[in-house]
Amino acid sequence: MYNDCKLIHADLSEYNLLWHEEKVWVIDVSQSVEPGHPRAMEFLYRDCKNVENFFTKIGVENVLTAKELLESVSGVKVEGDGEELLPELQRHGGKKEKPHKFNPEVEGASFDHLFDMATRERSQAATAVDAEDDWELIDDDDSDSDAEEV
């Protein structure tokens, strides 16, 4: 979520992680924040701590600590442990990051423009699928022309 979506859940727990079709699905993301939020790293650490606590509680071996998980996910190295970690997290919080790569076709575009683009792409994809599935139509009326009237 952090790397692909540039979001921090900010309320992650075992209740927000669903295992389905060999994948983890993260739900309840309405309170998520971007890494530029002033408390972003605190929220990420809390999410990591909740993950560490849950997997430790159910007996999973070699669970990463919250600090190790935070560093692995964010790429940010922090000093200290426990309470001394908080000022370090606050120091790293609020770093402004571009949430995605600049795409001149999308950047600054209105919702209507983006909706129209998506509609065209879906239409083109559907046309391509329809072309692969062409069926020969049979006119049933011609088959009755040889029948005798009674």
Side-chain angles (χ1 to χ4, degrees):
M1 191 169 159
Y2 182 90
N3 291 304
D4 292 341
C5 303
K6 299 294 185 216
L7 289 173
I8 295 164
H9 192 283
D11 190 27
L12 190 63
S13 73
E14 65 268 26
Y15 303 107
N16 305 122
L17 301 173
L18 304 178
W19 182 255
H20 179 66
E21 296 181 354
E22 301 296 313
K23 292 181 184 176
V24 174
W25 297 84
V26 181
I27 62 168
D28 188 23
V29 296
S30 61
Q31 72 291 325
S32 298
V33 299
E34 293 181 335
H37 187 281
R39 296 185 60 200
M41 294 304 285
E42 292 175 64
F43 293 147
L44 181 58
Y45 180 76
R46 185 178 63 195
D47 288 349
C48 293
K49 190 69 179 164
N50 289 342
V51 169
E52 174 194 8
N53 289 342
F54 172 72
F55 286 106
T56 299
K57 180 175 68 179
I58 63 169
V60 174
E61 295 181 12
N62 302 316
V63 174
L64 293 177
T65 67
K67 180 181 170 183
E68 292 169 333
L69 192 53
L70 177 132
E71 291 177 343
S72 173
V73 167
S74 69
V76 173
K77 301 295 180 208
V78 290
E79 298 297 323
D81 285 307
E83 288 185 23
E84 59 193 46
L85 190 57
L86 183 60
E88 184 74 5
L89 294 172
Q90 290 169 339
R91 188 173 68 78
H92 285 283
K95 301 259 193 237
K96 300 297 179 204
E97 292 186 18
K98 185 106 177 117
H100 52 77
K101 292 182 180 174
F102 179 76
N103 179 345
E105 197 171 337
V106 173
E107 195 71 27
S110 70
F111 173 82
D112 291 336
H113 174 70
L114 295 175
F115 181 80
D116 290 343
M117 282 176 47
T119 302
R120 276 194 309 275
E121 288 174 7
R122 281 193 298 276
S123 176
Q124 290 169 350
T127 302
V129 168
D130 288 345
E132 293 174 8
D133 293 336
D134 278 345
W135 290 81
E136 182 180 334
L137 296 177
I138 301 173
D139 187 358
D140 288 339
D141 292 336
D142 291 342
S143 62
D144 291 68
S145 61
D146 295 337
E148 262 183 56
E149 284 188 32
V150 180

Tab-separated table of all heavy atoms in Angstrom, residues 10-67:
chain	number	residue	atom	x	y	z
A	10	ALA	N	-3.027	3.938	8.474
A	10	ALA	CA	-3.253	4.774	9.663
A	10	ALA	C	-4.232	4.167	10.666
A	10	ALA	O	-4.555	4.813	11.660
A	10	ALA	CB	-3.681	6.193	9.279
A	11	ASP	N	-4.696	2.961	10.438
A	11	ASP	CA	-5.527	2.250	11.412
A	11	ASP	C	-5.480	0.754	11.113
A	11	ASP	O	-6.480	0.051	11.210
A	11	ASP	CB	-6.973	2.757	11.367
A	11	ASP	CG	-7.809	2.218	12.526
A	11	ASP	OD1	-7.238	1.911	13.591
A	11	ASP	OD2	-9.037	2.076	12.356
A	12	LEU	N	-4.317	0.266	10.742
A	12	LEU	CA	-4.174	-1.115	10.308
A	12	LEU	C	-4.196	-2.067	11.497
A	12	LEU	O	-3.573	-1.815	12.522
A	12	LEU	CB	-2.860	-1.288	9.539
A	12	LEU	CG	-2.667	-2.610	8.821
A	12	LEU	CD1	-3.722	-2.803	7.741
A	12	LEU	CD2	-1.280	-2.664	8.203
A	13	SER	N	-4.943	-3.141	11.348
A	13	SER	CA	-4.983	-4.213	12.340
A	13	SER	C	-5.312	-5.508	11.603
A	13	SER	O	-5.567	-5.496	10.399
A	13	SER	CB	-6.033	-3.922	13.412
A	13	SER	OG	-7.330	-4.100	12.873
A	14	GLU	N	-5.357	-6.588	12.350
A	14	GLU	CA	-5.686	-7.874	11.729
A	14	GLU	C	-7.100	-7.875	11.156
A	14	GLU	O	-7.411	-8.661	10.273
A	14	GLU	CB	-5.518	-9.025	12.728
A	14	GLU	CG	-6.467	-8.989	13.904
A	14	GLU	CD	-5.930	-8.257	15.132
A	14	GLU	OE1	-5.074	-7.377	14.992
A	14	GLU	OE2	-6.384	-8.595	16.237
A	15	TYR	N	-7.948	-6.976	11.617
A	15	TYR	CA	-9.321	-6.908	11.127
A	15	TYR	C	-9.426	-6.218	9.772
A	15	TYR	O	-10.473	-6.275	9.133
A	15	TYR	CB	-10.215	-6.193	12.146
A	15	TYR	CG	-10.179	-6.865	13.491
A	15	TYR	CD1	-9.500	-6.278	14.556
A	15	TYR	CD2	-10.780	-8.101	13.691
A	15	TYR	CE1	-9.447	-6.907	15.792
A	15	TYR	CE2	-10.730	-8.735	14.912
A	15	TYR	CZ	-10.059	-8.138	15.960
A	15	TYR	OH	-9.995	-8.767	17.176
A	16	ASN	N	-8.352	-5.551	9.353
A	16	ASN	CA	-8.341	-4.864	8.063
A	16	ASN	C	-7.571	-5.633	7.000
A	16	ASN	O	-7.353	-5.116	5.905
A	16	ASN	CB	-7.711	-3.470	8.195
A	16	ASN	CG	-8.377	-2.635	9.248
A	16	ASN	OD1	-7.725	-2.201	10.177
A	16	ASN	ND2	-9.666	-2.418	9.132
A	17	LEU	N	-7.138	-6.836	7.310
A	17	LEU	CA	-6.394	-7.670	6.368
A	17	LEU	C	-7.199	-8.930	6.084
A	17	LEU	O	-7.499	-9.692	6.995
A	17	LEU	CB	-5.024	-8.047	6.950
A	17	LEU	CG	-4.105	-6.883	7.298
A	17	LEU	CD1	-2.868	-7.392	8.024
A	17	LEU	CD2	-3.723	-6.105	6.066
A	18	LEU	N	-7.553	-9.107	4.836
A	18	LEU	CA	-8.304	-10.293	4.431
A	18	LEU	C	-7.424	-11.164	3.539
A	18	LEU	O	-6.746	-10.655	2.646
A	18	LEU	CB	-9.566	-9.894	3.664
A	18	LEU	CG	-10.532	-8.949	4.372
A	18	LEU	CD1	-11.698	-8.604	3.454
A	18	LEU	CD2	-11.040	-9.543	5.668
A	19	TRP	N	-7.454	-12.455	3.775
A	19	TRP	CA	-6.712	-13.402	2.948
A	19	TRP	C	-7.706	-14.042	1.994
A	19	TRP	O	-8.665	-14.697	2.409
A	19	TRP	CB	-6.050	-14.450	3.824
A	19	TRP	CG	-5.233	-15.445	3.064
A	19	TRP	CD1	-5.570	-16.737	2.789
A	19	TRP	CD2	-3.955	-15.236	2.474
A	19	TRP	NE1	-4.578	-17.345	2.070
A	19	TRP	CE2	-3.570	-16.444	1.858
A	19	TRP	CE3	-3.100	-14.147	2.395
A	19	TRP	CZ2	-2.369	-16.593	1.186
A	19	TRP	CZ3	-1.897	-14.292	1.722
A	19	TRP	CH2	-1.546	-15.500	1.130
A	20	HIS	N	-7.497	-13.817	0.673
A	20	HIS	CA	-8.416	-14.356	-0.324
A	20	HIS	C	-7.635	-14.650	-1.595
A	20	HIS	O	-6.878	-13.814	-2.079
A	20	HIS	CB	-9.529	-13.340	-0.612
A	20	HIS	CG	-10.510	-13.775	-1.639
A	20	HIS	ND1	-11.369	-14.843	-1.449
A	20	HIS	CD2	-10.767	-13.306	-2.873
A	20	HIS	CE1	-12.113	-14.989	-2.510
A	20	HIS	NE2	-11.771	-14.074	-3.406
A	21	GLU	N	-7.831	-15.856	-2.128
A	21	GLU	CA	-7.174	-16.286	-3.362
A	21	GLU	C	-5.660	-16.057	-3.321
A	21	GLU	O	-5.063	-15.503	-4.239
A	21	GLU	CB	-7.810	-15.595	-4.576
A	21	GLU	CG	-9.253	-15.986	-4.782
A	21	GLU	CD	-9.891	-15.346	-5.993
A	21	GLU	OE1	-9.262	-14.480	-6.644
A	21	GLU	OE2	-11.042	-15.724	-6.299
A	22	GLU	N	-5.065	-16.472	-2.199
A	22	GLU	CA	-3.612	-16.431	-2.012
A	22	GLU	C	-3.048	-15.013	-2.011
A	22	GLU	O	-1.873	-14.799	-2.323
A	22	GLU	CB	-2.892	-17.273	-3.078
A	22	GLU	CG	-3.302	-18.733	-3.090
A	22	GLU	CD	-2.940	-19.454	-1.799
A	22	GLU	OE1	-1.806	-19.308	-1.338
A	22	GLU	OE2	-3.813	-20.142	-1.239
A	23	LYS	N	-3.875	-14.018	-1.676
A	23	LYS	CA	-3.421	-12.627	-1.598
A	23	LYS	C	-3.990	-11.987	-0.345
A	23	LYS	O	-5.043	-12.368	0.137
A	23	LYS	CB	-3.914	-11.818	-2.802
A	23	LYS	CG	-3.316	-12.200	-4.110
A	23	LYS	CD	-3.873	-11.303	-5.198
A	23	LYS	CE	-3.366	-11.736	-6.560
A	23	LYS	NZ	-3.971	-10.946	-7.627
A	24	VAL	N	-3.272	-10.974	0.147
A	24	VAL	CA	-3.784	-10.160	1.244
A	24	VAL	C	-4.511	-8.968	0.643
A	24	VAL	O	-3.980	-8.280	-0.233
A	24	VAL	CB	-2.636	-9.665	2.156
A	24	VAL	CG1	-3.167	-8.705	3.210
A	24	VAL	CG2	-1.926	-10.832	2.804
A	25	TRP	N	-5.731	-8.737	1.100
A	25	TRP	CA	-6.532	-7.601	0.665
A	25	TRP	C	-6.685	-6.668	1.850
A	25	TRP	O	-7.098	-7.083	2.932
A	25	TRP	CB	-7.903	-8.070	0.176
A	25	TRP	CG	-7.797	-8.960	-1.018
A	25	TRP	CD1	-7.567	-10.308	-1.019
A	25	TRP	CD2	-7.866	-8.574	-2.389
A	25	TRP	NE1	-7.506	-10.785	-2.311
A	25	TRP	CE2	-7.690	-9.736	-3.161
A	25	TRP	CE3	-8.081	-7.363	-3.034
A	25	TRP	CZ2	-7.711	-9.718	-4.548
A	25	TRP	CZ3	-8.110	-7.345	-4.420
A	25	TRP	CH2	-7.919	-8.508	-5.156
A	26	VAL	N	-6.333	-5.408	1.666
A	26	VAL	CA	-6.423	-4.409	2.727
A	26	VAL	C	-7.747	-3.665	2.567
A	26	VAL	O	-8.061	-3.169	1.490
A	26	VAL	CB	-5.244	-3.415	2.651
A	26	VAL	CG1	-5.333	-2.389	3.764
A	26	VAL	CG2	-3.913	-4.161	2.707
A	27	ILE	N	-8.505	-3.619	3.662
A	27	ILE	CA	-9.802	-2.940	3.609
A	27	ILE	C	-9.833	-1.790	4.616
A	27	ILE	O	-8.911	-1.621	5.405
A	27	ILE	CB	-10.965	-3.921	3.889
A	27	ILE	CG1	-10.848	-4.515	5.295
A	27	ILE	CG2	-11.010	-5.010	2.832
A	27	ILE	CD1	-12.090	-5.253	5.769
A	28	ASP	N	-10.925	-1.040	4.588
A	28	ASP	CA	-11.160	0.068	5.513
A	28	ASP	C	-10.030	1.093	5.403
A	28	ASP	O	-9.328	1.376	6.355
A	28	ASP	CB	-11.299	-0.449	6.948
A	28	ASP	CG	-11.743	0.630	7.912
A	28	ASP	OD1	-12.346	1.626	7.457
A	28	ASP	OD2	-11.479	0.493	9.116
A	29	VAL	N	-9.901	1.649	4.232
A	29	VAL	CA	-8.783	2.563	3.963
A	29	VAL	C	-9.197	4.037	3.924
A	29	VAL	O	-8.405	4.882	3.529
A	29	VAL	CB	-8.072	2.188	2.641
A	29	VAL	CG1	-7.435	0.814	2.739
A	29	VAL	CG2	-9.033	2.248	1.474
A	30	SER	N	-10.397	4.351	4.358
A	30	SER	CA	-10.883	5.727	4.227
A	30	SER	C	-10.072	6.730	5.043
A	30	SER	O	-10.038	7.906	4.702
A	30	SER	CB	-12.356	5.802	4.617
A	30	SER	OG	-12.527	5.397	5.965
A	31	GLN	N	-9.405	6.317	6.087
A	31	GLN	CA	-8.619	7.231	6.910
A	31	GLN	C	-7.147	7.257	6.507
A	31	GLN	O	-6.338	7.876	7.176
A	31	GLN	CB	-8.739	6.864	8.391
A	31	GLN	CG	-7.989	5.591	8.775
A	31	GLN	CD	-8.584	4.327	8.202
A	31	GLN	OE1	-9.785	4.206	8.074
A	31	GLN	NE2	-7.744	3.380	7.843
A	32	SER	N	-6.811	6.615	5.418
A	32	SER	CA	-5.419	6.569	4.962
A	32	SER	C	-4.875	7.963	4.697
A	32	SER	O	-5.614	8.871	4.343
A	32	SER	CB	-5.305	5.741	3.685
A	32	SER	OG	-5.702	4.420	3.925
A	33	VAL	N	-3.568	8.095	4.878
A	33	VAL	CA	-2.904	9.379	4.636
A	33	VAL	C	-1.736	9.169	3.682
A	33	VAL	O	-1.202	8.068	3.558
A	33	VAL	CB	-2.397	10.028	5.949
A	33	VAL	CG1	-3.553	10.318	6.897
A	33	VAL	CG2	-1.335	9.171	6.624
A	34	GLU	N	-1.344	10.235	3.019
A	34	GLU	CA	-0.171	10.190	2.146
A	34	GLU	C	1.085	10.379	2.987
A	34	GLU	O	1.026	10.939	4.089
A	34	GLU	CB	-0.274	11.279	1.085
A	34	GLU	CG	-1.409	11.031	0.116
A	34	GLU	CD	-1.502	12.105	-0.958
A	34	GLU	OE1	-1.044	13.250	-0.725
A	34	GLU	OE2	-2.029	11.791	-2.035
A	35	PRO	N	2.234	9.954	2.466
A	35	PRO	CA	3.483	10.104	3.221
A	35	PRO	C	3.808	11.553	3.585
A	35	PRO	O	4.566	11.790	4.522
A	35	PRO	CB	4.548	9.535	2.271
A	35	PRO	CG	3.800	8.558	1.441
A	35	PRO	CD	2.426	9.153	1.256
A	36	GLY	N	3.212	12.513	2.915
A	36	GLY	CA	3.457	13.913	3.236
A	36	GLY	C	2.700	14.419	4.451
A	36	GLY	O	2.927	15.536	4.914
A	37	HIS	N	1.808	13.604	5.005
A	37	HIS	CA	1.051	14.007	6.191
A	37	HIS	C	2.018	14.214	7.357
A	37	HIS	O	2.964	13.435	7.522
A	37	HIS	CB	0.025	12.922	6.532
A	37	HIS	CG	-0.920	13.289	7.621
A	37	HIS	ND1	-0.572	13.225	8.946
A	37	HIS	CD2	-2.201	13.724	7.576
A	37	HIS	CE1	-1.602	13.607	9.685
A	37	HIS	NE2	-2.611	13.912	8.866
A	38	PRO	N	1.805	15.237	8.187
A	38	PRO	CA	2.739	15.506	9.298
A	38	PRO	C	2.937	14.334	10.259
A	38	PRO	O	4.008	14.203	10.847
A	38	PRO	CB	2.093	16.687	10.032
A	38	PRO	CG	1.182	17.319	9.044
A	38	PRO	CD	0.750	16.238	8.105
A	39	ARG	N	1.936	13.485	10.411
A	39	ARG	CA	2.072	12.347	11.336
A	39	ARG	C	2.189	11.021	10.600
A	39	ARG	O	1.996	9.951	11.181
A	39	ARG	CB	0.895	12.329	12.301
A	39	ARG	CG	0.887	13.573	13.203
A	39	ARG	CD	-0.172	13.541	14.250
A	39	ARG	NE	0.003	12.391	15.128
A	39	ARG	CZ	-0.979	11.891	15.881
A	39	ARG	NH1	-2.176	12.431	15.861
A	39	ARG	NH2	-0.753	10.850	16.652
A	40	ALA	N	2.532	11.063	9.327
A	40	ALA	CA	2.569	9.866	8.490
A	40	ALA	C	3.441	8.762	9.078
A	40	ALA	O	3.018	7.607	9.153
A	40	ALA	CB	3.044	10.221	7.083
A	41	MET	N	4.641	9.095	9.494
A	41	MET	CA	5.547	8.058	9.997
A	41	MET	C	5.075	7.495	11.329
A	41	MET	O	5.265	6.311	11.603
A	41	MET	CB	6.964	8.607	10.114
A	41	MET	CG	7.591	8.967	8.768
A	41	MET	SD	7.614	7.594	7.595
A	41	MET	CE	8.927	6.621	8.267
A	42	GLU	N	4.456	8.311	12.150
A	42	GLU	CA	3.881	7.801	13.400
A	42	GLU	C	2.786	6.788	13.090
A	42	GLU	O	2.721	5.726	13.714
A	42	GLU	CB	3.281	8.938	14.233
A	42	GLU	CG	4.296	9.905	14.792
A	42	GLU	CD	3.596	11.054	15.482
A	42	GLU	OE1	2.902	10.811	16.512
A	42	GLU	OE2	3.723	12.197	14.994
A	43	PHE	N	1.911	7.139	12.129
A	43	PHE	CA	0.834	6.227	11.750
A	43	PHE	C	1.397	4.938	11.157
A	43	PHE	O	0.915	3.841	11.461
A	43	PHE	CB	-0.110	6.886	10.750
A	43	PHE	CG	-0.899	8.040	11.293
A	43	PHE	CD1	-1.240	9.101	10.484
A	43	PHE	CD2	-1.312	8.075	12.620
A	43	PHE	CE1	-1.978	10.163	10.963
A	43	PHE	CE2	-2.046	9.136	13.119
A	43	PHE	CZ	-2.384	10.183	12.284
A	44	LEU	N	2.423	5.060	10.320
A	44	LEU	CA	3.024	3.867	9.718
A	44	LEU	C	3.644	2.983	10.791
A	44	LEU	O	3.485	1.760	10.765
A	44	LEU	CB	4.072	4.262	8.672
A	44	LEU	CG	4.753	3.098	7.956
A	44	LEU	CD1	3.734	2.211	7.242
A	44	LEU	CD2	5.784	3.625	6.959
A	45	TYR	N	4.321	3.600	11.753
A	45	TYR	CA	4.913	2.822	12.845
A	45	TYR	C	3.816	2.104	13.640
A	45	TYR	O	3.950	0.931	13.969
A	45	TYR	CB	5.743	3.716	13.770
A	45	TYR	CG	6.356	2.945	14.910
A	45	TYR	CD1	7.478	2.131	14.701
A	45	TYR	CD2	5.812	2.983	16.188
A	45	TYR	CE1	8.041	1.402	15.736
A	45	TYR	CE2	6.359	2.256	17.227
A	45	TYR	CZ	7.471	1.465	17.000
A	45	TYR	OH	8.023	0.734	18.013
A	46	ARG	N	2.730	2.811	13.934
A	46	ARG	CA	1.629	2.188	14.683
A	46	ARG	C	1.042	1.016	13.892
A	46	ARG	O	0.761	-0.045	14.454
A	46	ARG	CB	0.554	3.228	14.996
A	46	ARG	CG	-0.561	2.656	15.878
A	46	ARG	CD	-1.589	3.687	16.222
A	46	ARG	NE	-2.262	4.148	15.011
A	46	ARG	CZ	-2.996	5.240	14.946
A	46	ARG	NH1	-3.145	6.008	15.999
A	46	ARG	NH2	-3.584	5.582	13.812
A	47	ASP	N	0.871	1.193	12.584
A	47	ASP	CA	0.392	0.092	11.748
A	47	ASP	C	1.346	-1.094	11.824
A	47	ASP	O	0.923	-2.246	11.967
A	47	ASP	CB	0.243	0.544	10.292
A	47	ASP	CG	-0.930	1.488	10.059
A	47	ASP	OD1	-1.774	1.658	10.971
A	47	ASP	OD2	-1.006	2.051	8.953
A	48	CYS	N	2.632	-0.810	11.715
A	48	CYS	CA	3.646	-1.877	11.784
A	48	CYS	C	3.632	-2.560	13.143
A	48	CYS	O	3.775	-3.786	13.237
A	48	CYS	CB	5.031	-1.307	11.492
A	48	CYS	SG	5.244	-0.726	9.797
A	49	LYS	N	3.458	-1.785	14.218
A	49	LYS	CA	3.400	-2.346	15.575
A	49	LYS	C	2.196	-3.269	15.709
A	49	LYS	O	2.294	-4.363	16.288
A	49	LYS	CB	3.342	-1.213	16.603
A	49	LYS	CG	3.527	-1.669	18.015
A	49	LYS	CD	4.947	-2.139	18.235
A	49	LYS	CE	5.166	-2.586	19.660
A	49	LYS	NZ	6.388	-3.366	19.803
A	50	ASN	N	1.052	-2.870	15.142
A	50	ASN	CA	-0.137	-3.723	15.192
A	50	ASN	C	0.085	-5.035	14.446
A	50	ASN	O	-0.339	-6.097	14.901
A	50	ASN	CB	-1.348	-2.989	14.611
A	50	ASN	CG	-1.839	-1.869	15.500
A	50	ASN	OD1	-1.512	-1.815	16.686
A	50	ASN	ND2	-2.600	-0.958	14.932
A	51	VAL	N	0.755	-4.962	13.311
A	51	VAL	CA	1.057	-6.177	12.540
A	51	VAL	C	2.005	-7.072	13.331
A	51	VAL	O	1.791	-8.283	13.451
A	51	VAL	CB	1.650	-5.816	11.155
A	51	VAL	CG1	2.211	-7.036	10.454
A	51	VAL	CG2	0.595	-5.140	10.289
A	52	GLU	N	3.065	-6.466	13.899
A	52	GLU	CA	4.009	-7.241	14.717
A	52	GLU	C	3.285	-7.909	15.884
A	52	GLU	O	3.461	-9.112	16.120
A	52	GLU	CB	5.110	-6.326	15.255
A	52	GLU	CG	6.046	-7.039	16.220
A	52	GLU	CD	6.934	-6.098	17.028
A	52	GLU	OE1	6.759	-4.875	16.976
A	52	GLU	OE2	7.808	-6.634	17.736
A	53	ASN	N	2.472	-7.167	16.600
A	53	ASN	CA	1.770	-7.715	17.768
A	53	ASN	C	0.855	-8.881	17.388
A	53	ASN	O	0.820	-9.903	18.072
A	53	ASN	CB	0.944	-6.633	18.467
A	53	ASN	CG	1.817	-5.621	19.186
A	53	ASN	OD1	2.986	-5.866	19.460
A	53	ASN	ND2	1.238	-4.465	19.474
A	54	PHE	N	0.123	-8.726	16.301
A	54	PHE	CA	-0.801	-9.789	15.894
A	54	PHE	C	-0.062	-11.075	15.548
A	54	PHE	O	-0.396	-12.149	16.055
A	54	PHE	CB	-1.657	-9.349	14.705
A	54	PHE	CG	-2.476	-10.474	14.139
A	54	PHE	CD1	-3.574	-10.976	14.832
A	54	PHE	CD2	-2.132	-11.060	12.930
A	54	PHE	CE1	-4.320	-12.027	14.321
A	54	PHE	CE2	-2.876	-12.115	12.417
A	54	PHE	CZ	-3.969	-12.601	13.119
A	55	PHE	N	0.944	-10.985	14.690
A	55	PHE	CA	1.625	-12.205	14.260
A	55	PHE	C	2.447	-12.830	15.383
A	55	PHE	O	2.584	-14.052	15.445
A	55	PHE	CB	2.458	-11.945	13.006
A	55	PHE	CG	1.598	-11.807	11.777
A	55	PHE	CD1	1.379	-10.567	11.203
A	55	PHE	CD2	0.970	-12.904	11.214
A	55	PHE	CE1	0.562	-10.426	10.086
A	55	PHE	CE2	0.153	-12.785	10.100
A	55	PHE	CZ	-0.054	-11.538	9.535
A	56	THR	N	2.948	-12.028	16.307
A	56	THR	CA	3.639	-12.566	17.475
A	56	THR	C	2.639	-13.292	18.369
A	56	THR	O	2.909	-14.392	18.857
A	56	THR	CB	4.342	-11.431	18.249
A	56	THR	OG1	5.297	-10.814	17.388
A	56	THR	CG2	5.052	-11.964	19.480
A	57	LYS	N	1.464	-12.677	18.559
A	57	LYS	CA	0.420	-13.247	19.423
A	57	LYS	C	-0.045	-14.611	18.922
A	57	LYS	O	-0.315	-15.512	19.722
A	57	LYS	CB	-0.758	-12.276	19.501
A	57	LYS	CG	-1.913	-12.750	20.363
A	57	LYS	CD	-2.998	-11.694	20.497
A	57	LYS	CE	-3.672	-11.488	19.166
A	57	LYS	NZ	-4.758	-10.503	19.192
A	58	ILE	N	-0.122	-14.808	17.617
A	58	ILE	CA	-0.602	-16.103	17.104
A	58	ILE	C	0.528	-17.116	16.915
A	58	ILE	O	0.298	-18.203	16.404
A	58	ILE	CB	-1.417	-15.943	15.807
A	58	ILE	CG1	-0.578	-15.376	14.660
A	58	ILE	CG2	-2.653	-15.099	16.048
A	58	ILE	CD1	-1.267	-15.447	13.297
A	59	GLY	N	1.745	-16.730	17.311
A	59	GLY	CA	2.840	-17.698	17.341
A	59	GLY	C	3.684	-17.803	16.082
A	59	GLY	O	4.421	-18.779	15.915
A	60	VAL	N	3.612	-16.831	15.192
A	60	VAL	CA	4.456	-16.859	14.001
A	60	VAL	C	5.900	-16.582	14.429
A	60	VAL	O	6.166	-15.670	15.212
A	60	VAL	CB	3.988	-15.806	12.962
A	60	VAL	CG1	4.944	-15.730	11.784
A	60	VAL	CG2	2.575	-16.127	12.500
A	61	GLU	N	6.819	-17.395	13.932
A	61	GLU	CA	8.230	-17.230	14.290
A	61	GLU	C	8.910	-16.195	13.399
A	61	GLU	O	8.495	-15.980	12.250
A	61	GLU	CB	8.959	-18.574	14.166
A	61	GLU	CG	8.462	-19.603	15.154
A	61	GLU	CD	9.205	-20.919	15.024
A	61	GLU	OE1	10.247	-20.983	14.340
A	61	GLU	OE2	8.725	-21.898	15.603
A	62	ASN	N	9.944	-15.577	13.919
A	62	ASN	CA	10.783	-14.628	13.181
A	62	ASN	C	10.006	-13.443	12.607
A	62	ASN	O	10.243	-13.010	11.479
A	62	ASN	CB	11.548	-15.331	12.059
A	62	ASN	CG	12.416	-16.452	12.580
A	62	ASN	OD1	13.104	-16.297	13.591
A	62	ASN	ND2	12.379	-17.593	11.927
A	63	VAL	N	9.069	-12.918	13.376
A	63	VAL	CA	8.304	-11.752	12.954
A	63	VAL	C	9.215	-10.530	13.033
A	63	VAL	O	9.937	-10.340	14.011
A	63	VAL	CB	7.073	-11.546	13.869
A	63	VAL	CG1	6.341	-10.254	13.524
A	63	VAL	CG2	6.151	-12.742	13.779
A	64	LEU	N	9.189	-9.725	11.979
A	64	LEU	CA	9.954	-8.481	12.004
A	64	LEU	C	9.417	-7.577	13.099
A	64	LEU	O	8.218	-7.547	13.354
A	64	LEU	CB	9.850	-7.744	10.663
A	64	LEU	CG	10.486	-8.391	9.443
A	64	LEU	CD1	10.210	-7.541	8.201
A	64	LEU	CD2	11.980	-8.572	9.627
A	65	THR	N	10.305	-6.820	13.732
A	65	THR	CA	9.842	-5.836	14.700
A	65	THR	C	9.167	-4.696	13.939
A	65	THR	O	9.352	-4.546	12.722
A	65	THR	CB	11.008	-5.257	15.517
A	65	THR	OG1	11.850	-4.491	14.641
A	65	THR	CG2	11.805	-6.349	16.218
A	66	ALA	N	8.412	-3.898	14.654
A	66	ALA	CA	7.731	-2.764	14.019
A	66	ALA	C	8.747	-1.833	13.359
A	66	ALA	O	8.531	-1.347	12.247
A	66	ALA	CB	6.901	-2.008	15.048
A	67	LYS	N	9.863	-1.620	14.015
A	67	LYS	CA	10.903	-0.748	13.461
A	67	LYS	C	11.482	-1.354	12.184
A	67	LYS	O	11.653	-0.661	11.177
A	67	LYS	CB	12.007	-0.516	14.492
A	67	LYS	CG	13.118	0.367	14.004
A	67	LYS	CD	14.187	0.542	15.071
A	67	LYS	CE	15.400	1.225	14.504
A	67	LYS	NZ	16.470	1.351	15.487
